[in-house]
C-alpha cells in the first residue's frame, strides 16, 4: 500500500495506491486502488502531497469526443516528493520535493536552448494519453486494465510517474498548497503578462474572463506596473474578488446594450487597450479581444482552451491594416525548469502573493466536492490533500 513505505522499500517495484479515476465523461470520479509501475529510464515516480483542480481538468472531464479517452487519471497542478527514479535521471533524487508540469523542458533542442520559445520540440506538448517517450501507461487498475495519463502529470493519484523533462525541483520549505499553483494557474497568468506580453508600466490591460487564469494575469500585470487593469466577465460578483488581484475596473459583458464589447472597451480606453488577454477559450471572444486592442501596437494574448476544431474568423485586411499582434501563450510562455524557481523566489520574497487563489481545501476522498465547487463557480482554486 501507499502509506508508510520508504523509497528504498518500494524502488523498482509496483506500488499499490489510491487514485481518483474518470471512467465516464461528466460522471463523478471513482476512488479505487490501482497499480503504479516503477519508473522507466528518464522517468520519476512521485508521491503526491497535494493537487489543485484546474478548469482544464473540468474541460477534459466533460469532453466526450477525441482527444477524450477513458478511463483516465486527471490532474496536472500538484506538488510531490520523489519516491524513486529510473535510469539516467540525475537532476532529482528520492526525497526531493518537485512540481510536475505539463510542458516539457528537455534542455537540448533548439527551442529549449532559445530564449524565444518554451515549446520543446523533442517532447512537444500534445493531448496524449501516454508517457512522452514510450507511448505507454504506468497505471493499471486491479483488474489489469490500462488507465490513461493526462497532460503527462495525472496528479489525482497518490503516486504518479512523470518524465524527468516534466519535473522541477523546488525549495521544500515552500508550503505545498501554494507551490502547486505554479504548476499551471499562477505561472500561466503571470507568465503571460510578464513574459509573453511584456506588459509595460503605465499601460492599460483588459482581461476577458476572471477565472483563476484571468486573475493570475491581473497579478502579473500589476507586477509589471500596469496603470489600468479592466476585467470583463458575465458575473458581476467577480469584480469585488478581482479587486484583490489588481483589477481596477469592470465590464459586465451582458450589459453592453446595443454596443459590441469591443466598442465599450474602445470608449473606456480612448481607442483600445494596450494589451488584451482572452482567458475563457471562446473563438468569438478572441475576436472581440483582438478588436478591443489599440491599432498600431495593441497585443492580444490567447490563454483560453477552446473546444476541439474551433476556428477564428479575422479578416486579413484587419490584420494587415491594424498593425496589431495576436499570439497564443501556452503555460504563459515560461520555461518550467528555468522560470518556476524565479517565480517561487518572487513568492517567498512576498513580491508575488498567491494566498488569495486558494479559497477551499478538501481531503482526497472529497475530490468530487472540489469539482462541484469549481463547476458551480464557488471557488477560485480548491486544493486537494492526499493525506491530511
Amino acid at each position: 500500500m501507499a502509506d508508510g513505505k520508504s523509497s528504498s522499500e518500494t524502488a523498482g517495484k509496483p506500488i499499490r495506491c489510491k487514485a481518483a479515476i474518470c471512467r465516464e465523461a461528466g460522471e463523478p470520479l471513482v476512488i479505487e486502488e490501482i497499480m503504479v509501475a516503477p519508473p522507466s529510464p528518464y522517468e520519476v515516480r512521485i508521491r503526491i502531497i497535494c493537487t489543485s483542480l484546474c478548469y482544464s481538468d473540468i474541460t477534459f472531464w466533460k469532453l466526450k469526443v477525441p482527444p477524450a479517452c477513458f478511463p483516465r487519471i486527471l490532474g496536472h497542478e500538484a506538488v510531490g516528493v520523489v519516491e524513486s527514479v529510473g535510469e539516467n535521471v540525475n537532476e532529482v533524487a528520492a526525497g526531493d520535493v518537485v512540481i510536475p508540469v505539463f510542458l516539457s523542458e528537455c534542455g537540448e533542442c533548439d527551442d529549449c536552448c532559445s530564449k524565444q520559445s518554451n515549446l520543446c520540440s523533442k517532447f512537444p506538448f500534445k493531448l496524449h494519453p501516454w508517457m512522452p517517450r514510450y507511448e505507454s501507461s504506468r497505471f493499471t487498475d486491479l483488474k489489469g486494465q490500462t488507465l490513461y495519463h493526462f497532460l503527462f502529470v495525472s496528479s489525482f493519484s497518490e503516486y504518479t510517474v512523470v518524465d524527468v523533462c516534466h519535473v522541477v525541483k523546488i525549495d521544500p520549505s515552500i508550503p505545498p498548497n501554494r507551490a502547486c499553483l505554479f504548476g499551471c494557474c499562477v505561472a500561466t497568468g503571470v507568465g503571460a503578462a510578464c513574459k509573453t506580453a511584456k506588459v509595460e508600466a503605465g499601460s492599460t490591460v483588459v482581461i476577458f474572463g476572471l477565472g483563476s487564469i484571468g486573475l493570475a494575469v491581473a497579478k502579473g500585470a500589476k507586477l509589471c506596473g500596469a496603470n489600468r487593469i479592466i476585467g470583463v466577465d458575465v458575473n458581476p460578483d467577480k469584480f469585488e474578488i478581482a479587486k484583490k488581484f489588481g483589477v481596477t475596473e469592470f465590464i459586465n459583458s451582458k450589459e453592453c446594450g446595443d454596443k459590441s464589447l469591443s466598442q465599450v472597451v474602445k470608449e473606456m480606453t480612448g481607442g483600445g487597450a494596450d494589451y488584451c488577454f482572452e482567458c475563457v477559450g471562446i473563438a468569438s471572444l478572441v475576436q472581440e479581444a483582438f478588436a478591443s486592442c489599440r491599432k498600431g501596437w495593441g497585443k492580444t494574448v490567447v490563454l483560453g482552451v477552446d473546444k476541439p476544431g474551433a476556428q477564428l474568423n479575422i479578416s486579413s485586411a484587419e490584420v494587415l491594416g491594424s498593425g496589431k499582434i495576436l499570439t497564443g501563450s501556452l503555460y504563459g510562455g515560461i520555461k518550467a525548469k528555468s522560470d518556476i524557481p524565479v517565480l517561487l523566489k518572487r513568492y517567498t520574497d512576498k513580491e508575488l502573493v498567491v494566498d488569495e487563489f486558494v479559497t477551499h481545501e478538501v481531503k482526497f476522498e472529497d475530490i468530487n466536492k472540489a469539482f462541484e465547487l469549481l463547476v458551480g463557480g464557488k471557488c477560485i482554486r480548491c486544493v486537494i490533500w492526499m493525506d491530511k
Side-chain angles (χ1 to χ4, degrees):
M1 296 295 292
D3 295 333
K5 287 197 173 184
S6 69
S7 59
S8 61
E9 293 176 303
T10 54
K13 303 172 186 176
I15 287 179
R16 183 168 167 168
C17 69
K18 291 179 181 178
I21 302 171
C22 180
R23 289 199 171 272
E24 292 185 51
E27 293 296 317
L29 304 189
V30 182
I31 295 184
E32 301 179 18
E33 288 192 345
I34 66 165
M35 301 304 296
V36 182
S40 295
Y42 300 100
E43 294 178 354
V44 180
R45 189 160 61 185
I46 301 166
R47 176 178 61 82
I48 299 295
I49 299 171
C50 66
T51 180
S52 50
L53 180 63
C54 172
Y55 212 88
S56 294
D57 298 308
I58 301 290
T59 298
F60 284 90
W61 169 65
K62 291 180 176 179
L63 195 64
K64 296 181 179 180
V65 298
C69 58
F70 306 98
R72 192 173 217 170
I73 299 175
L74 298 170
H76 65 284
E77 197 174 78
V79 166
V81 177
V82 174
E83 173 271 335
S84 61
V85 302
E87 295 176 14
N88 307 315
V89 174
N90 300 309
E91 63 184 85
V92 294
D96 287 342
V97 178
V98 296
I99 295 177
V101 292
F102 66 88
L103 203 61
S104 65
E105 185 180 351
C106 74
E108 299 171 351
C109 69
D110 289 346
D111 291 276
C112 286
C113 292
S114 169
K115 293 181 180 179
Q116 304 300 315
S117 172
N118 69 334
L119 303 176
C120 177
S121 51
K122 186 174 181 180
F123 301 107
F125 174 77
K126 49 189 172 181
L127 298 170
H128 194 54
W130 310 115
M131 296 296 293
R133 292 177 199 259
Y134 303 107
E135 304 270 317
S136 57
S137 175
R138 300 292 167 268
F139 303 121
T140 53
D141 66 15
L142 295 189
K143 294 179 181 178
Q145 182 182 20
T146 296
L147 304 172
Y148 297 114
H149 290 252
F150 179 62
L151 295 182
F152 307 118
V153 175
S154 291
S155 57
F156 294 167
S157 173
E158 291 178 320
Y159 285 82
T160 189
V161 179
V162 178
D163 193 276
V164 69
C165 289
H166 291 262
V167 173
V168 181
K169 182 178 176 180
I170 67 166
D171 180 346
S173 69
I174 298 172
N177 60 345
R178 300 296 183 261
C180 65
L181 303 174
F182 291 80
C184 181
C185 165
V186 170
T188 297
V190 173
C194 299
K195 193 160 186 179
T196 302
K198 297 179 175 64
V199 169
E200 294 182 348
S203 61
T204 297
V205 170
V206 180
I207 301 167
F208 295 79
L210 294 175
S212 56
I213 299 296
L215 295 175
V217 170
K219 283 277 186 185
K222 188 177 180 181
L223 281 175
C224 293
N227 184 43
R228 298 175 70 188
I229 303 174
I230 302 169
V232 179
D233 207 284
V234 296
N235 183 356
D237 294 339
K238 288 187 176 181
F239 183 39
E240 286 304 313
I241 297 168
K243 282 181 179 177
K244 299 175 184 176
F245 293 80
V247 173
T248 57
E249 299 156 73
F250 183 74
I251 299 171
N252 184 340
S253 54
K254 283 186 173 180
E255 296 181 354
C256 294
D258 57 358
K259 297 177 181 177
S260 68
L261 183 52
S262 56
Q263 282 179 295
V264 173
V265 171
K266 285 179 179 177
E267 288 176 7
M268 283 183 70
T269 57
D274 300 305
Y275 306 94
C276 290
F277 296 85
E278 198 281 342
C279 305
V280 180
I282 301 174
S284 59
L285 196 57
V286 174
Q287 289 157 205
E288 281 295 301
F290 186 67
S292 298
C293 68
R294 189 174 186 87
K295 71 178 187 300
W297 66 74
K299 184 179 287 187
T300 298
V301 180
V302 180
L303 296 162
V305 179
D306 207 339
K307 61 182 181 293
Q311 299 287 319
L312 293 177
N313 183 19
I314 297 173
S315 75
S316 58
E318 184 180 7
V319 173
L320 175 63
S322 70
K324 299 187 287 190
I325 294 170
L326 174 64
T327 185
S329 181
L330 191 59
Y331 200 29
I334 75 161
K335 293 178 182 287
K337 295 177 189 288
S338 317
D339 293 328
I340 285 179
V342 175
L343 289 174
L344 286 171
K345 180 68 164 53
R346 297 183 87 169
Y347 165 72
T348 56
D349 288 346
K350 296 182 169 46
E351 182 185 357
L352 173 59
V353 180
V354 302
D355 295 353
E356 307 99 323
F357 285 96
V358 180
T359 54
H360 296 76
E361 301 189 45
V362 300
K363 296 178 180 179
F364 186 41
E365 63 243 39
D366 297 322
I367 189 169
N368 287 306
K369 182 180 178 183
F371 275 70
E372 291 169 12
L373 288 166
L374 190 56
V375 170
K378 296 176 181 177
C379 77
I380 300 173
R381 270 294 188 268
C382 183
V383 171
I384 301 148
W385 289 92
M386 288 297 169
D387 182 18
K388 188 177 182 183

